[in-house]
Amino acid sequence: MLRVLLVDDEPFILQGIKMLIDWEQEGFEIAGMAANGKEAIAFLEQEEVDLIIADIRMPEMTGLELLETIKREKLSNAYFVILSGYADFEYARRAMQNECTEYLLKPIDREMLLKLLEKVYTMRSQDRELDKKRKEQEKAYFSRNVIALIHGKYDDFNLEYVKQHMKNIEGVRYVEIQKAQSEEMDESIEKDMRNFQRELYQCCIEFLKEDANHCVFDVSANEKIYDIGLIFADGMAQKLGLDERAYLEKFYQYLVNNMKQPLIMLVGKKVSDINSISKSYGNTCMLRSFQGFRAQKSIYFYEDEVQVSCNKIVLCKESLDRLIGTIEQNNYIEIKKAIELFYQEMGNMEMNSETMTLNINYLLFRLIHLASEQDDDVNQQEILRLISESSFESGIMRGSKAHLASFACEYAEYLFQLRKNVSRGVLGMVEKEIRESFASNLTLKGLSEKYYVNSAYLGQLFRKKYGQSFKDYLNNYRIEQASNQLIHTDKKIIQIAEEVGYHDLDYFVNRFIQVKGCTPARFRKQMFEE
């Protein structure tokens, strides 16, 4: 309902206007009535309305003075209608100068009033739609600037814009929130995950309230990670009288209770202010990589999981260096022997979980460094995570000796492929496979097994060459083939969707809109019209 304020010094006029039509039926309600301009101002200082109908001649403050005051002091963005018994051009001119919507003469004609309300209703609907789009654009623009800071690719403009629009920017941590998912997902599961991600984002917004702009949608932009980013600041917890861990636990519990799904929070190391948030984001990427070697938790704090030094903790450097050497040589037999020796040494020393964590961290840091020496353009932390996850898929316990052995062998093969630079030939074969079999159930994992390439490495190579993931490349190719059929055949859309590899029509339509900006039916119509 649109809210209306009636202003006139004659009570019978106010009652007459109120009874003239069925306001509710027209989508309006009388929010208030005032006897003069001053009363109207007092009302507007407390209430919001969409339409003001005011007499032009009143004691204390006239209708024109009321209009001028509202515009000057920005008291309301309501539409303003001047009501007068005087057909005086000067009145109308002054009213129009102050953006008056209409100038009506007394007595009010019922049909004229109905036309006015229809006009106001349409204008307000358009205003709200424009305001919604404006807010969405502002939100998207702000998010782009925040993501630039998070990724460490920003300039002074990005930094200043974020500082102007974000209240808490000191003592901050980057927090990644996501639901765990399998490495390979079909199109229906992927759609469900995307919907879940959007619902999770809305749930975060509801909890954060006035700090909602600290929450960012899809920071990683990785096809396998459906994440929500949070820039957590000390001030957010202090407002609730909590410390940071208690706040994040409260936040986590709120999300789980509302989403009815288990979630994961990765909490980066605290940095002094928003300028250094990319360092904290890097911490969460490292946590994501190391997850495969950790006991499963709800919330992972960087300080707890990644210890780089600690008194009275023994580093089995000799055993680890031997293991790293066998991984470099891609020698499966020697890898397994080295892992046996490593675990034997840890067992002999009766190492606790804290000591084992330090030793595993040392190994993983060294392996990332080895790969970076071969190709620093590839996201090695992401490679580490993907290989780690795939290593315990077939019944192997996370973080076990068997898991480490499986991981080490697969990582050794990855390093071997990295040194050989297999991208020179395999990408061409994958391209050909897509051209010839795009409608089939092609997956990165399946192609990597067919061409004997590590799936994580193949995915990174694909992104590096084409600037997009394998999944996006395949989807875009399928949409182009569908576009050709829409133009050159009269096949039904559901048939075309099936023929290019989509078995879920809704998913196909959504993908088509993302690529072409309109529905398949609209695309076909536009092409025929042209």
Side-chain angles (χ1 to χ4, degrees), residues 313-327:
I313 289 185
V314 179
L315 182 66
C316 303
K317 190 172 185 302
E318 187 175 340
S319 297
L320 289 171
D321 287 346
R322 186 187 303 118
L323 173 56
I324 291 165
T326 62
I327 292 173

Side-chain angles (χ1 to χ4, degrees), residues 153-193:
K153 297 179 180 178
Y154 67 91
D155 55 25
D156 290 342
F157 179 85
N158 303 127
L159 182 60
E160 288 306 314
Y161 187 86
V162 171
K163 285 184 175 181
Q164 289 172 11
H165 294 82
M166 186 177 284
K167 296 178 182 177
N168 299 306
I169 59 171
E170 296 180 350
V172 294
R173 294 176 182 266
Y174 181 78
V175 180
E176 178 175 293
I177 309 167
Q178 59 165 296
K179 176 190 174 191
Q181 71 278 343
S182 61
E183 184 180 353
E184 292 294 334
M185 294 181 290
D186 61 30
E187 59 192 44
S188 60
I189 294 176
E190 183 185 1
K191 184 173 69 172
D192 291 342
M193 286 298 297

Side-chain angles (χ1 to χ4, degrees), residues 31-32 55 60 73 134 190 213 225 261 341 353 383 469 529:
D55 187 20
E60 303 288 345
E73 299 182 9
R134 178 185 59 79
E190 183 185 1
N213 64 349
I225 303 172
Q261 293 283 352
L341 289 172
S353 60
I383 290 286
S469 69
E529 288 174 351

Side-chain angles (χ1 to χ4, degrees), residues 72-115:
R72 184 177 63 252
E73 299 182 9
K74 298 180 180 179
L75 291 175
S76 172
N77 64 348
Y79 295 107
F80 201 100
V81 175
I82 285 288
L83 184 61
S84 175
Y86 299 87
D88 192 315
F89 175 74
E90 180 59 24
Y91 288 134
R93 187 182 67 79
R94 281 185 62 192
M96 295 307 172
Q97 283 177 344
N98 285 281
E99 302 175 14
C100 179
T101 305
E102 284 288 352
Y103 180 83
L104 299 179
L105 294 178
K106 292 180 180 179
I108 298 178
D109 179 75
R110 183 176 185 278
E111 293 304 316
M112 289 294 293
L113 180 58
L114 289 173
K115 286 183 180 179

